[in-house]
Amino acid sequence: MPVLPGAEPFTHNGSEDIGVLLCHGFTSTPQSMRAWGEHLAAEGFTVRCPLLPGHGTRWPDLNRTSWRDWYTAAEAELAELRGRCRSVFVFGQSMGGTLTLRLAEQHPDIAGIVLVNPSVTTLRRGARLLPLLSRVWPAIGGIPGDIAQPGGFELAYQRLPLRAMASLQEFWGLVRADLGRVHQPLLLFRSAVDHIVEPVNSALVLDGVASSDLAEVVLADSFHVATLDHDAPAIFSGSAEFLQRIHSELAEEVV
C-alpha cells in the first residue's frame, strides 16, 4: 500500500560523531517525530526515523505485523547508524520507547537513550482478554492525537488494530523482564496528564533500569504526544544537551 502523505521516514546525514535513531509510537508515524528530528539535524547530528512496518498506510496492515517486525526494522536502522557514527543514541515515544528500551537491553554499546511517555504495561480493564478479543474483533476505536495544544495533529490510525496490540502487550512483558539490563544514561520525559499511557509506566522504567545516570522531567503542559505539544521545545533542547554531554563524557574516557 502507498504510504500516507506526511508519514514518510526521516533521514539526515550529519555528524559522524553522533547519530540518533528516533522511534515513533504504535499506530503513529514519523510525522510525530519529524520536528524533533529536524531540530537534531539542525544541530548537526545524523538522524534516522524509520516508518515501522504496518504503519502509515491502512490500519489492517498493522494487524499483519508483530513486535518482531517493528523491532527488526528499528534494529536495522541502529546497525546502519553504528557503522556510520562514533556515538549512537536512541530516542523513542510511547511504543517507540518500548523499542528503545529493548534496543538498550540488547545492545549495551548504545551511548544513551531518551524516552517520552514510554509504554511497558497498561492498567486498562480487559487487557488480559486482549489475546482472545483479537481473534474475534480486528480493531476498536483508537485515540490518536492526544495533544493539549489547540490545533495539534498526529498522523495516526483512527482504529486500534487488536492483533497488533496483543503483540505489543507480549512485547511489554519481555521488555519489563529485562529492564535491569539497561545501564545506559537515560533521560525520561513524562507528561503530567496522559490519556494513553498511565504514570505507572514511567515508574516501572525508572525503578527497573540499572542506569546510574538517570533523570525524569515532568511535562506540565502536554498530553501523550508530547513531541507535537506545548513542551516539545523543552524535549528537543533537553535531549540535544543530553546527548552532547554524554558524547563529551565518553570522549574524555577514551582520552
Side-chain angles (χ1 to χ4, degrees):
M1 292 295 298
V3 173
L4 296 171
E8 300 86 1
F10 179 84
T11 298
H12 174 77
N13 290 327
S15 168
E16 293 184 355
D17 285 329
I18 299 175
V20 184
L21 171 61
L22 297 174
C23 301
H24 68 75
F26 185 68
T27 78
S28 191
T29 66
Q31 177 264 350
S32 65
M33 312 291 275
R34 187 170 298 276
W36 196 0
E38 289 174 349
H39 178 92
L40 296 169
E43 293 284 335
F45 309 127
T46 292
V47 184
R48 298 287 185 272
C49 183
L51 175 63
L52 298 174
H55 294 76
T57 53
R58 304 177 311 136
W59 69 259
D61 294 335
L62 190 50
N63 266 340
R64 300 186 183 99
T65 66
S66 73
W67 71 262
R68 293 172 179 82
D69 300 301
W70 317 325
Y71 181 77
T72 298
E75 192 174 42
E77 294 289 341
L78 174 65
E80 194 272 337
L81 278 176
R82 290 163 77 197
R84 176 185 293 269
C85 302
R86 295 179 181 87
S87 297
V88 176
F89 296 77
V90 186
F91 298 175
Q93 178 167 246
S94 194
M95 181 195 74
T98 322
L99 290 167
T100 299
L101 287 165
R102 191 58 174 171
L103 288 169
E105 291 169 355
Q106 298 291 314
H107 299 279
D109 62 316
I110 289 173
I113 62 176
V114 176
L115 308 174
V116 179
N117 295 320
S119 69
V120 292
T121 191
T122 182
L123 301 180
R124 287 183 174 81
R125 289 183 297 178
R128 293 181 181 179
L129 299 176
L130 186 56
L132 177 61
L133 293 175
S134 65
R135 300 175 187 174
V136 180
W137 289 294
I140 58 174
I143 317 176
D146 187 32
I147 301 171
Q149 184 171 337
F153 171 73
E154 179 191 19
L155 181 59
Y157 294 143
Q158 299 295 314
R159 303 284 287 170
L160 186 69
L162 291 185
R163 284 192 289 276
M165 186 66 213
S167 182
L168 175 57
Q169 189 174 55
E170 176 190 353
F171 190 36
W172 286 340
L174 295 174
V175 171
R176 288 197 310 272
D178 285 342
L179 282 174
R181 298 175 64 180
V182 176
H183 65 84
Q184 294 90 340
L186 189 159
L187 174 61
L188 190 151
F189 292 94
R190 175 178 65 83
S191 296
V193 178
D194 188 331
H195 302 98
I196 309 297
V197 171
E198 304 96 335
V200 67
N201 285 267
S202 292
L204 285 170
V205 171
L206 295 171
D207 291 342
V209 298
S211 305
S212 58
D213 187 334
L214 182 65
E216 178 185 28
V217 177
V218 178
L219 307 173
D221 298 317
S222 299
F223 292 162
H224 182 64
V225 192
T227 53
L228 296 175
D229 219 327
H230 293 292
D231 293 301
I235 296 172
F236 301 167
S237 60
S239 62
E241 292 170 2
F242 169 81
L243 65 84
Q244 287 174 322
R245 175 177 66 82
I246 300 302
H247 176 70
S248 296
E249 291 174 358
L250 290 173
E252 290 176 1
E253 289 178 4
V254 172
V255 175

